[in-house]
Amino acid sequence: MSSPVRYELIGDIGVMSINNPPVNVLSHPVRQGIQDACREAQADSSKAVVIICDGRTFVAGADIKEFGQPPKKPFLPDLLNEIEASSKPMIAAIHGSALGGGFELCLASHYRCAVATAKVGLPEVKLGLLPGAGGTQRVPRLTGITAALELISSGNPISATSAETLGIVDRIVDGDLREGALAYARELIDRGAACRRSSELPAPDANPASCAEFRQQLEKRARGQIAPQRIVDCVEAASTLPFPEGLQFEREAFLSLMTGPQSAGLRHVFFAERDAARVSGIDKTSPQRDIKSVAVIGAGTMGGGIAMNFANAGLPVKLLEVSDDALGRGLEIIVRNYAGGVKRGKMTQDEAIARRDLIQGTTDYAALADVDLVVEAVYENLSLKQDIFERLDDVCKPGAILATNTSYQDVNRIAAVTRRPQDVIGLHFFSPAHIMKLLEVVRAAETADDVLATCISLAKKIGKIPVVAGVCYGFIGNRMLQKYAREAQLCLLEGATPETIDTAMQQWGMAMGPMRVFDLAGLDIGYKARQGLSPEERGDPRAYRIPDALVEMGRLGQKSGAGFYTYDPDTRAYTFDDVSKSVIERAAASLGVERREVDASEIVDRLIYALINEGINIVEEGIAQRPSDVDVVYVYGYGFPAHRGGPMHYADATGLDRVLERICEFRERFGAENWTPAPLLEQLVKEKRSLDSFVVKGA
Ligand code: T1G
């Protein structure tokens, strides 16, 4: 099989071209090809060598799929040392994104040129890793400790021009990169430029204050994560150890992270996110409908955020409300959100204005006659939604996709009121809709394949991560959340406090404790949603005795100044007050619940294993296509710690036998009503299999 690396001589310049689509990762054949080309260049008549890539990007990193497999020589750090030791100047020519090992390849080269649109970065930390091929030793020598700490611990790519300012890119090339790189090589040869080796630069000045400050920042920003702290160790080592020892120090830290559970979790999420968009019977060649204009029904918080998503992607949006007042309020929210985006540096003022101008308000359904997609985002009431879909069925052109943003309602019953159920789908955004990346794409019984394919690719276009869900109460995420919330409320009744529950879950890794999440979302949302539910859909009545009591006394959560906690109107500082305490105690007394000490480990296991058990039921019923889809939903939609991989991955990592054992303990203590083990869990434990090995029928 031909090597993915070509080497040729153009006059007295060697050109090494890497071609390993789609993103030129440094798989073993690529590393071998680079080594062969580098050795050939040492012996030929070349006076300098350009390293360049075919396709859409420079090398995007090591091949993550190879991690965990027996390593094959040449190992990347050794290969890069060989590149750096070259007797002839090595010149990296960058386009697209030079990331991870790809950027380390550039750093081991003696010179670096790039087109202005290129980006460079070391995103290893986002995989629970750190640069393992010299990045933590070469970058500090080029930029100093502080800039290196920011670049490596954030994992965020920077522009070629920013990299030039930092001194890690030497030349910005206008026009064709290959031509520009050859001209730059010519210039270097003509001026007798030496092989400039980063490893031979003086060690950066130690900066213990900067290191200490980053350690503190990272404690908060990456709570519970190991890799960020190890990055500081390695960068610090660059100022205290000679290069070879620093490289060894980095290698040991990298290998320790690579074989640890946190990187396994983050790498799982990386691939799970991409797998989620795969639907059996649908692929990139499947027919799709053309979406050139969109309408959103409802200009509330959700509707406004949804409209922004499409405007941000350059699509004109008609935003419909029932009155000019409601429309005006909705458009004001959008203007405020864009102003916030400008203030946070997410966009320029001009970009904000251009996007805002793509959103046109209307109160007339006739204005929706020509749109290609409508997203209904009104209040969670089935009959209201059905009325709207009847009107849309009359007004919208044939072939328009009619989507509902419902969080819970039965999309089949919404589709049933139209004459075009094949055009109806659920697009469940998460609040705040213009920020949260998750999008549950709810496939109803009659949703056409091209409608589903269109919505999956449209989700990516608007920067969302699509996960396909079947129709059930709460789809994937909210159905699991109901069990998680149930256990939180029962722990509260039994003696835990909102603080002990929130602290336990946040220390375990959840972005926010459940009590604060409920207060933030508004206790009245659940209260109103429950009014229209059957007892079976409502679940354990004990689980909402407290929130119902709080709502009925006007404590709706943060928006009313008090819920489980009271909130300072200025600082939003929250405290657990006596009113809330007495509501809880009264509820427990009325239910005959004996109060006791509920420790953190019991809280964590009850809430997380409730999530896991329901997630496994969801997989078994085919509501989710695969277990990793459940992980994507909970990591991107509900703040589950990505370094634990998501509920399903965490269950596998814990051991399904251990999970089953603990659930059976809870069944003994709390009853089978809430704690019947998922049949699939029992089956997998019996067969000694993992969730990861389970493929949903027809997926
Ligand atoms: N390894 C293996 N496969 C990868 C990959 C990687 N590093 N990066 C992407 N892919 C696959 C991806 O799964 C998908 O596959 C296809 O390529 C297109 O990706 C030693 C240890 C480069 C910005 O973390 O950020 O180097 O779904 O859909 O949206 O110090 O891919 O088509 O089958 O994401 O245009 C460090 C990870 C690795 C970069 C392009 N590098 N990749 O985004 O396409 S560790 C990274 C990305 C490392 C060294 C360390 C993005 C992208 P499929 P895509 P995209």
Side-chain angles (χ1 to χ4, degrees):
M1 191 169 90
S2 67
S3 167
V5 179
R6 296 187 312 281
Y7 178 72
E8 57 187 318
L9 263 178
I10 310 287
D12 56 358
I13 301 171
V15 180
M16 185 194 303
S17 304
I18 299 166
N19 181 27
N20 185 26
V23 294
N24 288 313
V25 295
L26 291 162
S27 314
H28 175 253
V30 175
R31 297 198 304 277
Q32 188 59 61
I34 291 171
Q35 185 177 64
D36 296 345
C38 180
R39 290 178 175 174
E40 186 175 343
Q42 303 313 304
D44 69 11
S45 61
S46 64
K47 294 198 177 71
V49 179
V50 168
I51 303 173
I52 195 165
C53 286
D54 296 349
R56 58 189 167 118
T57 179
F58 193 80
V59 174
D63 183 345
I64 311 172
K65 294 189 183 82
E66 288 184 350
F67 292 165
Q69 294 172 18
K72 284 184 185 171
K73 290 183 178 177
F75 302 142
L76 189 57
D78 303 333
L79 174 62
L80 300 193
N81 286 343
E82 191 169 338
I83 292 278
E84 192 176 54
S86 163
S87 59
K88 306 176 181 180
M90 290 284 182
I91 300 140
I94 307 167
H95 73 295
S97 303
L99 300 174
F103 187 46
E104 289 175 300
L105 172 57
C106 301
L107 292 164
S109 301
H110 305 119
Y111 297 90
R112 291 161 286 279
C113 64
V115 291
T117 53
K119 291 182 184 295
V120 299
L122 293 166
E124 289 87 338
V125 68
K126 296 181 178 179
L127 296 171
L129 298 167
L130 50 80
T136 68
Q137 304 304 302
R138 291 191 169 96
V139 173
R141 282 173 166 76
L142 289 162
T143 67
I145 292 283
T146 304
L149 283 169
E150 179 53 42
L151 179 71
I152 304 171
S153 67
S154 70
N156 295 329
I158 59 174
S159 67
T161 42
S162 304
E164 186 184 34
T165 307
L166 279 175
I168 45 183
V169 160
D170 303 294
R171 175 68 57 88
I172 300 294
V173 168
D174 292 330
D176 180 77
L177 175 62
R178 185 183 169 91
E179 284 172 22
L182 287 170
Y184 183 43
R186 174 82 276 132
E187 183 190 315
L188 290 168
I189 293 168
D190 293 348
R191 68 180 164 121
C195 294
R196 192 183 56 173
R197 299 186 177 93
S198 321
S199 62
E200 292 171 358
L201 291 171
D205 294 339
N207 191 332
S210 198
C211 291
E213 187 197 329
F214 266 84
R215 287 192 196 290
Q216 268 188 352
Q217 270 181 27
L218 292 166
E219 269 304 319
K220 293 193 187 79
R221 192 169 63 177
R223 190 175 62 235
Q225 294 181 49
I226 302 165
Q229 298 297 330
R230 298 310 323 272
I231 284 169
V232 181
D233 296 343
C234 290
V235 171
E236 201 162 39
S239 63
T240 58
L241 296 176
F243 185 79
E245 284 80 344
L247 214 52
Q248 185 55 32
F249 185 89
E250 173 195 83
R251 190 76 189 151
E252 285 161 11
F254 169 77
L255 291 174
S256 151
L257 290 169
M258 203 260 281
T259 52
Q262 291 195 357
S263 182
L266 286 162
R267 299 198 311 266
H268 166 77
V269 170
F270 176 86
F271 289 114
E273 176 186 325
R274 289 156 178 81
D275 287 344
R278 293 192 175 89
V279 180
S280 62
I282 289 177
D283 62 26
K284 292 187 175 72
T285 62
S286 300
Q288 295 186 21
R289 298 187 190 180
D290 210 7
I291 304 294
K292 292 198 178 331
S293 64
V294 177
V296 175
I297 315 281
T301 310
M302 286 304 286
I306 292 168
M308 288 174 69
N309 284 315
F310 295 110
N312 294 347
L315 288 168
V317 184
K318 290 200 173 89
L319 183 58
L320 181 136
E321 254 298 353
V322 290
S323 70
D324 288 332
D325 283 352
L327 187 56
R329 285 195 297 276
L331 291 171
E332 271 171 34
I333 294 173
I334 291 170
V335 169
R336 274 207 306 276
N337 284 341
Y338 275 128
V342 173
K343 198 171 162 196
R344 288 193 303 276
K346 298 287 184 197
M347 64 190 82
T348 64
Q349 183 63 22
D350 289 347
E351 284 168 337
I353 292 167
R355 293 174 185 187
R356 158 72 189 82
D357 288 350
L358 280 171
I359 301 172
Q360 298 300 317
T362 180
T363 55
D364 180 1
Y365 270 85
L368 310 186
D370 296 332
V371 298
D372 303 310
L373 164 71
V374 182
V375 183
E376 167 271 311
V378 301
Y379 176 65
E380 273 297 295
N381 176 292
L382 181 59
S383 55
L384 172 60
K385 291 176 186 291
Q386 288 174 320
D387 293 347
I388 289 171
F389 271 73
E390 281 175 353
R391 291 190 71 175
L392 293 174
D393 198 21
D394 292 338
V395 165
C396 293
K397 68 183 181 185
I401 294 176
L402 309 182
T404 170
N405 171 56
T406 184
S407 308
Y408 288 93
Q409 304 300 335
D410 183 340
V411 182
N412 290 322
R413 292 178 64 188
I414 294 172
V417 302
T418 72
R419 297 178 294 269
R420 52 172 116 182
Q422 73 282 359
D423 298 341
V424 177
I425 193 166
L427 291 180
H428 178 212
F429 290 83
F430 287 75
S431 183
H434 61 298
I435 291 174
M436 294 296 281
K437 286 177 77 72
L438 178 65
L439 179 65
E440 278 184 327
V441 180
V442 185
R443 184 180 200 174
E446 296 187 56
T447 301
D449 282 357
D450 67 335
V451 169
L452 182 61
T454 303
C455 290
I456 289 170
S457 56
L458 183 63
K460 292 181 187 174
K461 181 176 178 181
I462 63 174
K464 299 300 181 186
I465 297 170
V467 178
V468 178
V471 174
C472 70
Y473 183 70
F475 315 130
I476 298 173
N478 281 344
R479 176 170 154 182
M480 292 169 68
L481 175 65
Q482 192 187 40
K483 311 304 182 188
Y484 176 85
R486 177 198 74 206
E487 288 308 305
Q489 293 299 330
L490 293 178
C491 287
L492 211 48
L493 281 170
E494 293 168 31
T497 68
E499 289 141 318
T500 55
I501 292 170
D502 284 351
T503 303
M505 297 318 294
Q506 282 176 214
Q507 284 184 346
W508 186 80
M510 293 301 285
M512 188 184 278
M515 298 302 156
R516 288 193 56 218
V517 169
F518 303 147
D519 270 356
L520 188 63
L523 304 180
D524 53 326
I525 305 293
Y527 182 87
K528 289 173 189 162
R530 279 191 291 276
Q531 306 318 310
L533 296 183
S534 65
E536 197 263 335
E537 285 171 333
R538 287 186 186 189
D540 187 333
R542 296 173 297 167
Y544 40 85
R545 177 67 68 88
I546 298 168
D548 283 2
L550 290 169
V551 169
E552 284 157 9
M553 61 194 298
R555 288 173 69 115
L556 311 183
Q558 192 167 316
K559 61 184 165 187
S560 68
F564 287 103
Y565 297 102
T566 55
Y567 294 85
D568 180 299
D570 302 322
T571 65
R572 286 195 182 175
Y574 56 93
T575 49
F576 175 45
D577 68 343
D578 289 342
V579 172
S580 183
K581 187 169 179 290
S582 63
V583 167
I584 294 167
E585 287 168 351
R586 278 204 308 275
S590 71
L591 290 164
V593 175
E594 197 178 320
R595 308 273 286 162
R596 63 182 174 91
E597 190 70 31
V598 185
D599 68 24
S601 68
E602 178 183 339
I603 292 169
V604 170
D605 280 357
R606 285 175 63 176
L607 272 68
I608 297 302
Y609 284 15
L611 271 188
I612 290 171
N613 202 45
E614 197 59 21
I616 296 173
N617 282 323
I618 285 169
V619 168
E620 185 169 20
E621 293 167 25
I623 295 293
Q625 293 185 93
R626 55 185 73 82
S628 60
D629 284 7
V630 173
D631 292 332
V632 175
V633 165
Y634 239 78
V635 164
Y636 284 104
Y638 297 82
F640 193 97
H643 65 269
R644 292 186 188 273
M648 302 294 98
H649 178 85
Y650 178 70
D652 275 345
T654 304
L656 295 188
D657 52 349
R658 165 81 186 112
V659 171
L660 178 57
E661 180 189 340
R662 192 72 166 134
I663 287 173
C664 291
E665 278 172 31
F666 290 149
R667 179 177 55 186
E668 293 311 308
R669 287 180 63 189
F670 305 114
E673 182 69 24
N674 289 341
W675 288 102
T676 296
L680 176 59
L681 172 60
E682 294 181 304
Q683 175 196 333
L684 292 173
V685 168
K686 191 171 158 205
E687 296 168 0
K688 297 192 184 330
R689 286 171 54 200
S690 66
L691 276 161
D692 202 37
S693 69
F694 181 75
V695 178
V696 176
K697 295 178 290 300

